[in-house]
Amino acid sequence: MQLSYEKSVPGRRAIALDPLDVPEAVLPAALCRKEPAALPELGELDVVRHFTRLSKLNFGIDSHFYPLGSCTMKYNPKLAEAVAALSGFAHLHPHLSTSPAFWKHCQGAFELIHETEQWLAEIAGMKDVTLQPIAGAHGELTGTLLMAAYHRDRGSKKDTILIPDSAHGTNPASAAIAGFKVLEIPSHEDGTLRLDSVKAAMNDSVAGIMMTCPNTHGLFEPAVAEIADLMHANDALVYYDGANLNAIMGIARPGDLGFDVMHYNLHKTFATPHGMGGPGSGPVGVGERLAPYLPGPRVVKGEDGFELRNLEKSIGRVAAFFGNFMMAVRAYAYMSHLGKDGLRQASENAVLNANYIFAQLKHVYEPAFDLPFMHECVFTAVPQAKKGVRALDIAKALLDRGFHAPTVYFPLTVKESLMIEPTETESRETMDEFCDAMLEIAEAVDSDPESLREAPKTMPVGRLDEVRAARQLNCAC
Amino acid sequence: MTWVPSTAAERDAMLSVIGVQTIDDLFASVPAELRAKSWALPAGISEMAVRARLEKWAARNAGGVTSFLGGGAYDHFIPAAVDALTSRSEFYTAYTPYQPECSQGTLQSIYEYQSAICRLTGLDYANASLYDGGTAVFEATTMAVRLTRRTRIVCHASLNPIYRSMLETHVANLDLELVDGESPEGAACVIVQNPGFLGDIEDFTALAERCHEEGALLVMSFYPISLGLLKTPGEIGVDIAIAEGQCLGVPLNFGGPWLGIMATRKEHVRKMPGRIAAATEDAQGRRGFVLTLQAREQHIRREKAMSNICSNEALCALRALVYLTLLGKEGLRDVARHCHSKAEYLKKRLSFAQILNHGPTFNEFAVRLPRNAEEAADALVSRGFLAGLPLASLGAGEPNDLLIAVTERRTREELDAFAHALEEVCN
Ligand SMILES: Cc1ncc(COP(=O)(O)O)c(C=O)c1O
C-alpha cells in the first residue's frame, strides 16, 4: 500500500482553524525552524481511507482467534471502551492532583484509583498496590527498585537477582536496568524450578528472585513456597511476574504463596486492549516488607475525601502521575462486572480451554513437558523441524487458515516452541476450528511440506526479508 | 456476569475430551495448602450498573471548565477523525506485530509515525514509542551512558521538575552522578527542555557545540506542537530528542496513557531503546514492513538489552500519526501560531501581575500574582476556569507564582474573561 507521504498533494488540507482572533505574534527568526515539517498534505477523506485500509491489513481479536501464549489475548469488552471515553475521565488534567486546591475537583478519579488498588490487592493477596508503572516491564523495574530500596535501607549490599532461564526477557532486562547483577538459574528438564537449583545459587549477595507462576512453560511451580522460604531465611525477596495471573484468580494468590512484590498486567489478565503493542499498565503490588517504599504520591482516604500523600521512605515517582489511568478505568469496569465469581470463572475457563486444545493436539504435536498445563500449553516442533517444517512455518501456515499464530521461539528453553494460550473468552467451535487447522498442517508436514514453507500466500505480503531490512535500514521517509 | 461463552454442557463435553471429571481436577498441580486464603471481593454487577457507577465518578471530576493548565500536558483540540480511526478494533485489539504478514497495518503506521517524528524533529531515526515524556528522560540518559561510557548526568534548570524526580527514582540504584547545571565537562549528557518548564524558549545551539567539544551528548525534551514554529532539535545539534507526545491527539487521560517520543542521529541508532519498524520486500518484490534491529531488545538480549521496554504506547503513537497526517504541513504551523499568538495576547492582559519570563515564550508563561496562587486558582474554578499550575506545589516557584498555558482552543472572549476574572480574584 502507498504511504501517506506518497499520496500527498501540495496545498491540500484536512483541518482548518478559525481565523486567528488576536493579533498575530511573531517569534524572532533565529528561534524558528527554516522549513515547516514536511507532513503529508491530504484531505480528510484521503486520511480516513488511508487508515481504514491500513487497519484492514491487521488481525485483531475482534476479527481473529489470537492464541499468543504469554500474551493473554482475551476479548476486550466494549463496556470498558465506553467508560474510558467518558469525558470526566478522558479530558481530566492530571495537574488537578498537584495542588491541594484542586483535589475536590478530581475526587471521582481518586476514588477510582483507590478502589482499583484495593481490588487488585485482594485478588493477589498483597497489602498495597500502586498504579504508577506503565507496563509490565515498568512494573518489574519498579519492583526491583523497591527491592533495592529495601536492602539499602537495611545497610545490605546484596546486588544479585536470580532469574530462571524460562523467564520472559523483560525480567533480566529490568533487573539489570535497576542496577542488579543477574544470575540465570536453569529449569529442571520437567519444566519447573527445583529448590536445589536455587539453593545452589544462593549466597549472601542474592537480593531476591524473580519468578513467574504458573511459569512460562504453563506449569505451576511445585517448589514455589519452599523457594520463597529459602529467600526469606536469607533476607532476600521474592518477585512475582504477574503475566500469568489469568491462570489462578480465585485459586491461589501470590501473596499467600510468599511473594513480596509483583506486577499485574492489566492488558492481559484484566482485558484492557493491547493496542498493537501498547499502552498497557503494570501496577505493582507489595506485601509488608516493601509497603513502606511504594512510589508516591499515593491516593489515600482523608477526612474530607481522597487526598495525596507521600510515604516517608517512598522511592519517589516512577510515572508523572498515576500511570496509565485509563487502563485502570477499563480494568475496574472489567473486575466490577465479573466480580468474585466471574473472576474465578475466568481463570477456570482459561485453564479448561488450554487443556481442551492440548487434548486435541497432544497426539500429533510433541508436548514440551509431561506435567499438567494450566492456562497455556507448550509444544515443541522439533519432530516437524526434522522433516523440514519449522515452528515458524507452522505459524505462517496458520495465518493462511485465518488464525493468528501461537507464540513461537519463546520461551527460549524449548526448541521450536509453539506456545498456545486460548483464554477463557473463546468458544468451543473456534478452538475446534483451530485444532482442525493444526492437525491439517501436521498432515501437510508429510504430504506437502513445501506449501508450508511458502506460507503465507493469502496475506497482503509474503515473508519479508528481515536481513535486508536491517542492512539497508530504511526506517523513515 | 461473564464474558465466557461456554455453557455447562459444553464444559462437560470438553472435560470428557480432556479425560477428567471436574474443572477442579485441572488444578491438581496447585496443592491444597497453597490455595487462596481469602477472596473477599464484591459480587459482579451488570454492565448497566458498572456504567452508572463510573458515570457518577466521572461526573465528580472538573468538567466544563476553561483550562489554562499545562505544565507538560495540554488541552489541544482533537479532530473527530482521530478517535474514529484509532478506535477501529483492527488497531486497538491487535498485539505487537511479531507476525508481520498479518500486521502490515500496524507496521506501516509505525513506519509513517517514525517518518513524521523525523520530519518534525529534523533527526534521522525515531523509535515506535516509549512510555511517556518522563520515562523517556531516563531512557535517553541510559542511552547516553551507553554511548559515552561516562556516568555524570547534567540536568539543566529548564527540565520539568517531575521528570527530574522520575529520573532520580529510576537511577537510584545505578552508579550515576546526577548534577544540576549546564556544564558538559566529563558528562555523558546534558539534559535540557525547550521550551523550558516555565515556558522560556532558549537557543541551545551553542550548548550543543560545547557538549560535542567535551564529548558529551545533548539530550533535549521538546514540546511537539512548538515545532510547528521553533528551531528543530536537528538544527540545534541535539543528539537525542525526547518528548511527551500527549499534545498530538492524545486526550489528557488524567496522566496516561500518553506517548513517549524519541529520535536520534544516524550514528546513535543502534543504541536506541524501543521497537523500530523498517521497510523491506517479500520474495515477489512487494514492499512490506518489519520490526528491525531487534538484537537491541530484551526478548533477544535479555540482561544486556538497551532497555527493558516491551509493551509500549503504540495506539497513542497511532493517534499522534493520524493527528499529524490530518493537520499536515500547514496545519501544524497554524496550531503553533495560534497557541503562541493567543498566549502573547493573554500576557498583555495580565498587567496586574508580574510576568516572570524575561525572554520569548511559546504558549506557556509564569506570572507572580498579587495573591497566593493556590487560593486564586481555587477561587477561579467556581467561575469556570482552571487558572494554571500553582508553581509552589511542585517546589518550582514562590507561593504567588502561577504557570499559565494557552492552546489554540482558547478564544479571545475566553482570554478576556479569564484575565478579568483573575484580576478580580487578586484584588
Ligand atoms: C511472562 C511475561 N513477563 C513480562 C512481560 C512484559 O510485560 P509488558 O509487555 O507489559 O512490559 C510479558 C509480556 O510480554 C510476559 O509475557
Short mmCIF file of all heavy atoms in Angstrom, two decimals, chain A residues 202-252:
data_model
loop_
_atom_site.label_atom_id
_atom_site.label_comp_id
_atom_site.label_asym_id
_atom_site.label_seq_id
_atom_site.Cartn_x
_atom_site.Cartn_y
_atom_site.Cartn_z
N MET A 202 22.43 -19.85 45.85
CA MET A 202 22.17 -18.94 46.97
C MET A 202 23.46 -18.53 47.67
O MET A 202 24.31 -19.36 47.97
CB MET A 202 21.25 -19.69 47.96
CG MET A 202 20.48 -18.78 48.86
SD MET A 202 19.37 -17.74 47.91
CE MET A 202 19.22 -16.39 49.05
N ASN A 203 23.62 -17.25 47.91
CA ASN A 203 24.71 -16.77 48.76
C ASN A 203 24.33 -15.39 49.28
O ASN A 203 23.23 -14.90 48.99
CB ASN A 203 26.04 -16.75 48.00
CG ASN A 203 25.99 -15.80 46.81
OD1 ASN A 203 25.53 -14.67 46.94
ND2 ASN A 203 26.42 -16.28 45.65
N ASP A 204 25.24 -14.78 50.02
CA ASP A 204 24.93 -13.51 50.68
C ASP A 204 24.63 -12.36 49.75
O ASP A 204 24.05 -11.36 50.15
CB ASP A 204 26.10 -13.10 51.58
CG ASP A 204 25.98 -13.77 52.94
OD1 ASP A 204 24.92 -14.39 53.17
OD2 ASP A 204 26.94 -13.67 53.73
N SER A 205 25.08 -12.48 48.50
CA SER A 205 24.86 -11.34 47.59
C SER A 205 23.48 -11.39 46.93
O SER A 205 23.10 -10.47 46.23
CB SER A 205 25.95 -11.34 46.51
OG SER A 205 25.72 -12.40 45.63
N VAL A 206 22.73 -12.45 47.18
CA VAL A 206 21.43 -12.58 46.49
C VAL A 206 20.37 -11.69 47.15
O VAL A 206 20.02 -11.87 48.32
CB VAL A 206 20.97 -14.05 46.47
CG1 VAL A 206 19.56 -14.17 45.91
CG2 VAL A 206 21.94 -14.88 45.62
N ALA A 207 19.89 -10.74 46.38
CA ALA A 207 18.88 -9.79 46.87
C ALA A 207 17.48 -10.35 46.72
O ALA A 207 16.55 -9.92 47.41
CB ALA A 207 18.99 -8.48 46.11
N GLY A 208 17.32 -11.31 45.80
CA GLY A 208 16.00 -11.88 45.60
C GLY A 208 15.93 -12.69 44.34
O GLY A 208 16.93 -12.89 43.63
N ILE A 209 14.73 -13.17 44.06
CA ILE A 209 14.50 -13.99 42.87
C ILE A 209 13.25 -13.46 42.17
O ILE A 209 12.35 -12.92 42.82
CB ILE A 209 14.33 -15.48 43.26
CG1 ILE A 209 14.28 -16.38 42.01
CG2 ILE A 209 13.07 -15.71 44.12
CD1 ILE A 209 14.43 -17.87 42.34
N MET A 210 13.22 -13.58 40.85
CA MET A 210 12.01 -13.22 40.09
C MET A 210 11.44 -14.52 39.53
O MET A 210 12.14 -15.26 38.85
CB MET A 210 12.35 -12.28 38.94
CG MET A 210 12.83 -10.92 39.40
SD MET A 210 13.30 -9.83 38.02
CE MET A 210 11.73 -9.02 37.67
N MET A 211 10.17 -14.77 39.82
CA MET A 211 9.54 -15.99 39.33
C MET A 211 8.22 -15.67 38.63
O MET A 211 7.60 -14.65 38.89
CB MET A 211 9.26 -16.95 40.50
CG MET A 211 10.51 -17.58 41.08
SD MET A 211 10.13 -18.65 42.48
CE MET A 211 9.36 -20.04 41.66
N THR A 212 7.82 -16.58 37.78
CA THR A 212 6.53 -16.49 37.11
C THR A 212 5.80 -17.78 37.50
O THR A 212 6.42 -18.84 37.47
CB THR A 212 6.74 -16.42 35.59
OG1 THR A 212 7.73 -15.43 35.32
CG2 THR A 212 5.47 -16.05 34.85
N CYS A 213 4.53 -17.68 37.91
CA CYS A 213 3.85 -18.88 38.40
C CYS A 213 2.36 -18.80 38.11
O CYS A 213 1.72 -17.92 38.66
CB CYS A 213 4.10 -19.06 39.90
SG CYS A 213 3.39 -20.57 40.55
N PRO A 214 1.78 -19.68 37.28
CA PRO A 214 2.48 -20.69 36.53
C PRO A 214 3.59 -20.06 35.68
O PRO A 214 3.47 -18.92 35.24
CB PRO A 214 1.41 -21.33 35.65
CG PRO A 214 0.17 -20.54 35.81
CD PRO A 214 0.33 -19.67 37.00
N ASN A 215 4.64 -20.86 35.46
CA ASN A 215 5.77 -20.30 34.73
C ASN A 215 5.49 -20.22 33.23
O ASN A 215 4.38 -20.54 32.79
CB ASN A 215 7.04 -21.12 35.04
CG ASN A 215 6.91 -22.56 34.59
OD1 ASN A 215 6.10 -22.89 33.70
ND2 ASN A 215 7.68 -23.44 35.18
N THR A 216 6.47 -19.78 32.47
CA THR A 216 6.21 -19.58 31.04
C THR A 216 6.13 -20.90 30.28
O THR A 216 5.90 -20.91 29.08
CB THR A 216 7.30 -18.70 30.39
OG1 THR A 216 8.53 -19.43 30.44
CG2 THR A 216 7.45 -17.39 31.10
N HIS A 217 6.30 -22.02 31.00
CA HIS A 217 6.02 -23.33 30.39
C HIS A 217 4.57 -23.72 30.63
O HIS A 217 4.16 -24.82 30.27
CB HIS A 217 6.95 -24.40 30.99
CG HIS A 217 8.40 -24.12 30.76
ND1 HIS A 217 9.39 -24.47 31.64
CD2 HIS A 217 9.03 -23.50 29.73
CE1 HIS A 217 10.59 -24.09 31.18
NE2 HIS A 217 10.38 -23.50 30.02
N GLY A 218 3.81 -22.84 31.30
CA GLY A 218 2.41 -23.13 31.58
C GLY A 218 2.23 -24.04 32.79
O GLY A 218 1.15 -24.57 33.01
N LEU A 219 3.30 -24.21 33.59
CA LEU A 219 3.27 -25.16 34.71
C LEU A 219 3.30 -24.43 36.05
O LEU A 219 4.07 -23.48 36.23
CB LEU A 219 4.49 -26.09 34.64
CG LEU A 219 4.75 -26.77 33.29
CD1 LEU A 219 6.08 -27.54 33.32
CD2 LEU A 219 3.60 -27.70 32.94
N PHE A 220 2.49 -24.92 36.98
CA PHE A 220 2.55 -24.39 38.34
C PHE A 220 3.88 -24.83 38.94
O PHE A 220 4.30 -25.97 38.77
CB PHE A 220 1.38 -24.91 39.17
CG PHE A 220 1.22 -24.18 40.47
CD1 PHE A 220 0.54 -22.97 40.51
CD2 PHE A 220 1.77 -24.68 41.64
CE1 PHE A 220 0.41 -22.27 41.71
CE2 PHE A 220 1.66 -23.98 42.84
CZ PHE A 220 0.97 -22.77 42.87
N GLU A 221 4.55 -23.92 39.66
CA GLU A 221 5.85 -24.24 40.25
C GLU A 221 5.66 -24.99 41.57
O GLU A 221 5.23 -24.39 42.56
CB GLU A 221 6.65 -22.96 40.50
CG GLU A 221 7.17 -22.26 39.26
CD GLU A 221 8.34 -23.00 38.60
OE1 GLU A 221 8.66 -24.13 39.02
OE2 GLU A 221 8.91 -22.44 37.64
N PRO A 222 5.97 -26.29 41.61
CA PRO A 222 5.69 -27.05 42.83
C PRO A 222 6.50 -26.57 44.05
O PRO A 222 6.05 -26.70 45.17
CB PRO A 222 6.06 -28.49 42.46
CG PRO A 222 6.80 -28.42 41.17
CD PRO A 222 6.52 -27.12 40.53
N ALA A 223 7.68 -25.98 43.80
CA ALA A 223 8.53 -25.61 44.94
C ALA A 223 8.40 -24.13 45.31
O ALA A 223 9.22 -23.60 46.06
CB ALA A 223 9.98 -25.93 44.62
N VAL A 224 7.35 -23.50 44.79
CA VAL A 224 7.28 -22.04 44.95
C VAL A 224 7.35 -21.61 46.42
O VAL A 224 8.09 -20.67 46.76
CB VAL A 224 6.03 -21.46 44.22
CG1 VAL A 224 4.74 -22.06 44.73
CG2 VAL A 224 6.00 -19.95 44.30
N ALA A 225 6.63 -22.28 47.29
CA ALA A 225 6.61 -21.85 48.69
C ALA A 225 7.96 -22.10 49.36
O ALA A 225 8.45 -21.27 50.14
CB ALA A 225 5.48 -22.57 49.44
N GLU A 226 8.58 -23.24 49.05
CA GLU A 226 9.90 -23.53 49.63
C GLU A 226 10.94 -22.53 49.15
O GLU A 226 11.82 -22.11 49.90
CB GLU A 226 10.39 -24.94 49.26
CG GLU A 226 9.71 -26.06 50.01
CD GLU A 226 8.54 -26.65 49.24
OE1 GLU A 226 7.99 -25.93 48.36
OE2 GLU A 226 8.16 -27.79 49.52
N ILE A 227 10.85 -22.15 47.88
CA ILE A 227 11.81 -21.18 47.35
C ILE A 227 11.63 -19.83 48.06
O ILE A 227 12.60 -19.17 48.45
CB ILE A 227 11.67 -21.04 45.82
CG1 ILE A 227 12.08 -22.36 45.14
CG2 ILE A 227 12.51 -19.87 45.29
CD1 ILE A 227 11.79 -22.43 43.65
N ALA A 228 10.37 -19.45 48.28
CA ALA A 228 10.11 -18.19 48.99
C ALA A 228 10.68 -18.27 50.41
O ALA A 228 11.33 -17.32 50.88
CB ALA A 228 8.61 -17.90 49.02
N ASP A 229 10.48 -19.41 51.08
CA ASP A 229 11.02 -19.56 52.43
C ASP A 229 12.55 -19.47 52.44
O ASP A 229 13.14 -18.83 53.31
CB ASP A 229 10.61 -20.92 53.03
CG ASP A 229 9.13 -20.95 53.38
OD1 ASP A 229 8.52 -19.85 53.44
OD2 ASP A 229 8.57 -22.05 53.56
N LEU A 230 13.16 -20.11 51.46
CA LEU A 230 14.62 -20.06 51.36
C LEU A 230 15.10 -18.61 51.22
O LEU A 230 16.06 -18.19 51.88
CB LEU A 230 15.09 -20.89 50.15
CG LEU A 230 16.57 -20.79 49.80
CD1 LEU A 230 17.42 -21.47 50.88
CD2 LEU A 230 16.86 -21.43 48.44
N MET A 231 14.42 -17.86 50.37
CA MET A 231 14.81 -16.46 50.17
C MET A 231 14.66 -15.70 51.49
O MET A 231 15.58 -14.99 51.91
CB MET A 231 13.90 -15.81 49.12
CG MET A 231 14.15 -16.29 47.71
SD MET A 231 15.79 -15.80 47.13
CE MET A 231 16.23 -17.28 46.26
N HIS A 232 13.51 -15.84 52.11
CA HIS A 232 13.26 -15.06 53.33
C HIS A 232 14.25 -15.43 54.43
O HIS A 232 14.68 -14.57 55.20
CB HIS A 232 11.81 -15.25 53.78
CG HIS A 232 10.84 -14.63 52.81
ND1 HIS A 232 9.58 -15.11 52.56
CD2 HIS A 232 10.97 -13.55 51.99
CE1 HIS A 232 8.98 -14.37 51.65
NE2 HIS A 232 9.80 -13.41 51.28
N ALA A 233 14.62 -16.70 54.49
CA ALA A 233 15.58 -17.12 55.52
C ALA A 233 16.94 -16.44 55.30
O ALA A 233 17.74 -16.30 56.21
CB ALA A 233 15.74 -18.64 55.48
N ASN A 234 17.17 -16.01 54.07
CA ASN A 234 18.44 -15.33 53.75
C ASN A 234 18.26 -13.83 53.55
O ASN A 234 19.06 -13.18 52.88
CB ASN A 234 19.05 -15.95 52.48
CG ASN A 234 19.59 -17.33 52.75
OD1 ASN A 234 20.68 -17.49 53.26
ND2 ASN A 234 18.79 -18.35 52.47
N ASP A 235 17.18 -13.31 54.08
CA ASP A 235 16.85 -11.90 53.92
C ASP A 235 16.85 -11.45 52.46
O ASP A 235 17.29 -10.37 52.11
CB ASP A 235 17.79 -11.01 54.75
CG ASP A 235 17.20 -9.60 54.90
OD1 ASP A 235 15.96 -9.48 54.78
OD2 ASP A 235 17.97 -8.65 55.10
N ALA A 236 16.36 -12.34 51.60
CA ALA A 236 16.19 -11.97 50.19
C ALA A 236 14.70 -11.94 49.88
O ALA A 236 13.89 -12.44 50.67
CB ALA A 236 16.90 -12.99 49.30
N LEU A 237 14.34 -11.34 48.77
CA LEU A 237 12.93 -11.09 48.46
C LEU A 237 12.49 -11.88 47.23
O LEU A 237 13.31 -12.33 46.44
CB LEU A 237 12.73 -9.59 48.22
CG LEU A 237 13.07 -8.70 49.43
CD1 LEU A 237 13.32 -7.26 48.99
CD2 LEU A 237 11.97 -8.77 50.47
N VAL A 238 11.17 -11.99 47.09
CA VAL A 238 10.62 -12.82 46.03
C VAL A 238 9.67 -12.00 45.17
O VAL A 238 8.69 -11.45 45.65
CB VAL A 238 9.87 -14.03 46.62
CG1 VAL A 238 9.78 -15.15 45.59
CG2 VAL A 238 10.55 -14.54 47.87
N TYR A 239 10.00 -11.91 43.87
CA TYR A 239 9.21 -11.12 42.92
C TYR A 239 8.33 -12.04 42.08
O TYR A 239 8.79 -13.07 41.58
CB TYR A 239 10.16 -10.34 41.98
CG TYR A 239 9.40 -9.39 41.07
CD1 TYR A 239 9.25 -8.06 41.40
CD2 TYR A 239 8.80 -9.86 39.89
CE1 TYR A 239 8.50 -7.20 40.59
CE2 TYR A 239 8.06 -9.01 39.08
CZ TYR A 239 7.92 -7.69 39.43
OH TYR A 239 7.19 -6.84 38.64
N TYR A 240 7.09 -11.62 41.86
CA TYR A 240 6.15 -12.41 41.05
C TYR A 240 5.82 -11.66 39.76
O TYR A 240 5.28 -10.55 39.79
CB TYR A 240 4.86 -12.63 41.85
CG TYR A 240 3.79 -13.41 41.13
CD1 TYR A 240 3.82 -14.80 41.11
CD2 TYR A 240 2.74 -12.77 40.48
CE1 TYR A 240 2.83 -15.54 40.45
CE2 TYR A 240 1.75 -13.49 39.82
CZ TYR A 240 1.80 -14.87 39.81
OH TYR A 240 0.83 -15.59 39.16
N ASP A 241 6.19 -12.26 38.63
CA ASP A 241 5.81 -11.71 37.33
C ASP A 241 4.37 -12.14 37.08
O ASP A 241 4.08 -13.32 36.89
CB ASP A 241 6.76 -12.28 36.26
CG ASP A 241 6.38 -11.84 34.85
OD1 ASP A 241 5.21 -11.51 34.61
OD2 ASP A 241 7.27 -11.84 33.98
N GLY A 242 3.48 -11.16 37.08
CA GLY A 242 2.04 -11.46 37.02
C GLY A 242 1.49 -11.71 35.64
O GLY A 242 0.27 -11.74 35.45
N ALA A 243 2.36 -11.94 34.66
CA ALA A 243 1.87 -12.15 33.29
C ALA A 243 0.90 -13.32 33.22
O ALA A 243 0.02 -13.33 32.37
CB ALA A 243 3.05 -12.38 32.35
N ASN A 244 1.07 -14.29 34.11
CA ASN A 244 0.22 -15.49 34.02
C ASN A 244 -0.82 -15.57 35.13
O ASN A 244 -1.33 -16.65 35.44
CB ASN A 244 1.11 -16.74 34.03
CG ASN A 244 1.93 -16.83 32.75
OD1 ASN A 244 1.61 -16.17 31.76
ND2 ASN A 244 2.98 -17.63 32.76
N LEU A 245 -1.15 -14.44 35.70
CA LEU A 245 -2.15 -14.41 36.77
C LEU A 245 -3.50 -14.94 36.29
O LEU A 245 -4.32 -15.41 37.08
CB LEU A 245 -2.30 -12.97 37.29
CG LEU A 245 -3.12 -12.76 38.55
CD1 LEU A 245 -2.48 -13.45 39.75
CD2 LEU A 245 -3.28 -11.26 38.85
N ASN A 246 -3.72 -14.90 34.98
CA ASN A 246 -5.01 -15.34 34.46
C ASN A 246 -5.26 -16.83 34.73
O ASN A 246 -6.38 -17.30 34.58
CB ASN A 246 -5.10 -15.07 32.96
CG ASN A 246 -6.54 -14.92 32.50
OD1 ASN A 246 -7.33 -14.22 33.16
ND2 ASN A 246 -6.92 -15.56 31.41
N ALA A 247 -4.23 -17.57 35.12
CA ALA A 247 -4.42 -18.99 35.38
C ALA A 247 -4.96 -19.26 36.78
O ALA A 247 -5.50 -20.34 37.03
CB ALA A 247 -3.08 -19.72 35.21
N ILE A 248 -4.80 -18.32 37.69
CA ILE A 248 -5.02 -18.70 39.10
C ILE A 248 -5.94 -17.77 39.89
O ILE A 248 -6.02 -17.88 41.11
CB ILE A 248 -3.67 -18.82 39.85
CG1 ILE A 248 -2.86 -17.52 39.77
CG2 ILE A 248 -2.85 -20.01 39.32
CD1 ILE A 248 -1.70 -17.46 40.75
N MET A 249 -6.67 -16.89 39.23
CA MET A 249 -7.52 -15.98 40.01
C MET A 249 -8.57 -16.76 40.80
O MET A 249 -9.32 -17.55 40.24
CB MET A 249 -8.22 -14.98 39.08
CG MET A 249 -7.31 -13.84 38.65
SD MET A 249 -8.25 -12.54 37.83
CE MET A 249 -8.75 -13.37 36.35
N GLY A 250 -8.60 -16.51 42.08
CA GLY A 250 -9.56 -17.19 42.94
C GLY A 250 -9.09 -18.58 43.35
O GLY A 250 -9.75 -19.25 44.14
N ILE A 251 -7.98 -19.03 42.79
CA ILE A 251 -7.46 -20.37 43.11
C ILE A 251 -6.29 -20.23 44.08
O ILE A 251 -6.24 -20.86 45.12
CB ILE A 251 -6.95 -21.08 41.82
CG1 ILE A 251 -7.97 -21.01 40.69
CG2 ILE A 251 -6.48 -22.50 42.14
CD1 ILE A 251 -9.20 -21.85 40.86
N ALA A 252 -5.34 -19.38 43.70
CA ALA A 252 -4.17 -19.15 44.55
C ALA A 252 -3.79 -17.67 44.42
O ALA A 252 -4.12 -17.03 43.41
CB ALA A 252 -3.01 -20.04 44.11
#
